[in-house]
Structure formats: structure tokens, C-alpha cells
Amino acid sequence: MKRLLPTIAVLLFLFFEIQGVTALSDSKIAILGDSMSWIGGDSCTNERGWTSHFKNKLKPGRIDMYARSGATWTNTSETQKSTESYSEVLDDDNVVFNQALRLLEKCESDVKAKPDIIIIYAGANDAWFGKRHRPGYLTTGFSGVYPTSAEACDPSNFTTLESSVGLTCSLLQKRFEDARIILVTPVEMAKTTASNVHTVSDIIERTGKKMGLEVVRADKEVEIRNSVESKRKKYTTDGVHTNTEGARLIADCISSYLMSD
């Protein structure tokens, strides 16, 4: 019996692996976020990005990338609705809200792009740059009402992290009622304190769960740590952006979450 245990364990692993792949083989996934997702490329083939390992492991039917380097969750008082503006650095219009608008626009012209799963992995730039470039972004207690249509949305009126997450997710919920929307919090990094990352992640989690969304706490579950990356680059190339090993850790975390459902 003892000799059979390793074999049984391998078979069980393969069974659940196959089940997970089968469950997603026809799924259409839209990915929004910042450079941590963008780095994998539109084709999700750059192994420094988690999307590459995610795609290879789960083999979903389709992945559409809307993420941009430099993007924040948090809007500013100068943020304008735009599906055409392009930036790879911090910018008033380089926000997840505008990525959501691009997703909506894409689905208007291509019905096959309508996602079954929407993964939003963002928050690193909010933690990194928020105190300097997004005044008051950590203020909580939003008690307003989110607009019911993209046309009625004015992102410049939603300038806290909490309200920016709420505005974007509310819009996606209304448009994609049957889609799973999964928020992934940022991992720790060398460019800001672990405390800043956890504070941002707490707000993302509270806001998401209040709206009935799924949340993956990558800052807690992925072993990329400020204390390590600040001294030597173990899972990142620059203290922030993942190398292949770091990307694989994030992909495993998100993949395991989806496969365990």
C-alpha cells in the first residue's frame, strides 16, 4: 500500500489538473491591470509575465489583454473617459476604468470577445505612487451611487481607490452579468513598503467583496516579499517586475484559485 501512495497522489494531481484544464478550455478570459500583466504581452508568451504560465497551464479558449504598464486603479480629478489614449507610464488617463471601456468597446464590435472570466490584477502603482500622485486615494467610506451606464460615468468624480474600484467593477457587472470577475491584489515589491501594499490590497478586497466579487490576495499568498527583493532580486528583475520564477509563482496562485472552484 505504501508503494502505491505516490502513484495515487500523482494520479489525483493529474486528474484535478485535467479537470481544471477541461473546465477552462472553452473559456474566454479578459485581463485588465498594470505592467505585471502587460509584461506577458498581448499573446501571453513572454515568460516574465504570469499570463504566459497561466495560459500554458490552463489553456483557456481565448485570452484578450487590456492591461497597460503604469496603470492605476485610482482615477484623478483630471481623468477623462478614453479608449484611444495610450501610455506605458503613470498618467491621468492610464487607469483600469479606461481598460474596462476598451473591453466594452471591443465586445460591441466582436461578440466573440465577450468574456466568461474577467481578471483584474492591479494596485501596484497605487501603492507605489499613490501618496505622491493620488491625494486622498486611501480615503474610504464611499456612500454615493455608481452610474448605471458607461455614458453616464465621469471617472474624475471617483478619485479614491475605493470608489475607482467600485465604479469600474459596477460597470463591468452591469455589462457582463454572467461573467466571473476576479480581483487580484498586488504582490509585495521593493519600491514601497509591504504595509503600503497590504493597505491597498485591503481596500481592494473590501470593495470587491462588498460587491459580491471574487478576490485573490496575492500579497498574502505569493511568496514575493519586500524584505527579500529589497536586498537581492530573487523573483523580480528590478524589485517590482517579475522574472520567470516570480511570474510562475503568481500564475500558480491564480491558476490554483480557478481550478479549486
Side-chain angles (χ1 to χ4, degrees), residues 170-182:
S170 178
L171 184 64
L172 293 173
Q173 282 181 308
K174 290 182 176 69
R175 177 62 178 81
F176 305 109
E177 294 181 355
D178 298 324
R180 291 178 66 183
I181 301 177
I182 301 170

Side-chain angles (χ1 to χ4, degrees), residues 85-136:
S85 63
Y86 187 88
S87 176
E88 294 180 10
V89 296
L90 196 73
D91 184 83
D92 290 326
D93 295 337
N94 190 5
V95 292
V96 177
F97 175 81
N98 280 333
Q99 295 176 25
L101 292 186
R102 288 197 289 275
L103 170 57
L104 266 62
E105 185 176 80
K106 177 68 174 179
C107 292
E108 288 295 325
S109 61
D110 180 5
V111 294
K112 293 182 179 179
K114 183 179 179 182
D116 305 300
I117 300 171
I118 301 171
I119 298 174
I120 310 177
Y121 181 175
N125 292 314
D126 300 82
W128 187 355
F129 299 108
K131 290 183 179 179
R132 283 175 287 168
H133 300 283
R134 302 289 187 266

Side-chain angles (χ1 to χ4, degrees), residues 48-222:
R48 287 180 52 216
W50 69 268
T51 57
S52 170
H53 307 281
F54 176 86
K55 179 181 178 181
N56 290 339
K57 185 171 185 177
L58 296 189
K59 297 177 174 57
R62 171 171 176 160
I63 296 182
D64 287 313
M65 180 65 63
Y66 298 91
R68 291 272 175 84
S69 176
T72 61
W73 265 117
T74 310
N75 305 313
T76 78
S77 59
E78 301 299 320
T79 299
Q80 300 294 313
K81 289 190 292 188
S82 175
T83 58
E84 297 182 358
S85 63
Y86 187 88
S87 176
E88 294 180 10
V89 296
L90 196 73
D91 184 83
D92 290 326
D93 295 337
N94 190 5
V95 292
V96 177
F97 175 81
N98 280 333
Q99 295 176 25
L101 292 186
R102 288 197 289 275
L103 170 57
L104 266 62
E105 185 176 80
K106 177 68 174 179
C107 292
E108 288 295 325
S109 61
D110 180 5
V111 294
K112 293 182 179 179
K114 183 179 179 182
D116 305 300
I117 300 171
I118 301 171
I119 298 174
I120 310 177
Y121 181 175
N125 292 314
D126 300 82
W128 187 355
F129 299 108
K131 290 183 179 179
R132 283 175 287 168
H133 300 283
R134 302 289 187 266
Y137 79 114
L138 294 179
T139 302
T140 57
F142 177 77
S143 58
V145 177
Y146 297 115
T148 58
S149 68
E151 292 73 23
C153 288
D154 183 352
S156 67
N157 290 328
F158 299 83
T159 59
T160 64
L161 173 61
E162 178 186 49
S163 64
S164 296
V165 172
L167 177 68
T168 301
C169 292
S170 178
L171 184 64
L172 293 173
Q173 282 181 308
K174 290 182 176 69
R175 177 62 178 81
F176 305 109
E177 294 181 355
D178 298 324
R180 291 178 66 183
I181 301 177
I182 301 170
L183 310 185
V184 182
T185 63
V187 296
E188 291 183 20
M189 55 182 154
K191 298 296 184 179
T192 189
T193 65
S195 177
N196 282 345
V197 172
H198 296 318
T199 297
V200 163
S201 298
D202 287 343
I203 293 174
I204 293 171
E205 180 180 34
R206 285 200 303 270
T207 307
K209 289 191 171 180
K210 184 177 180 180
M211 302 179 74
L213 304 179
E214 301 174 62
V215 180
V216 176
R217 285 296 297 256
D219 61 311
K220 294 181 178 180
E221 298 178 23
V222 177

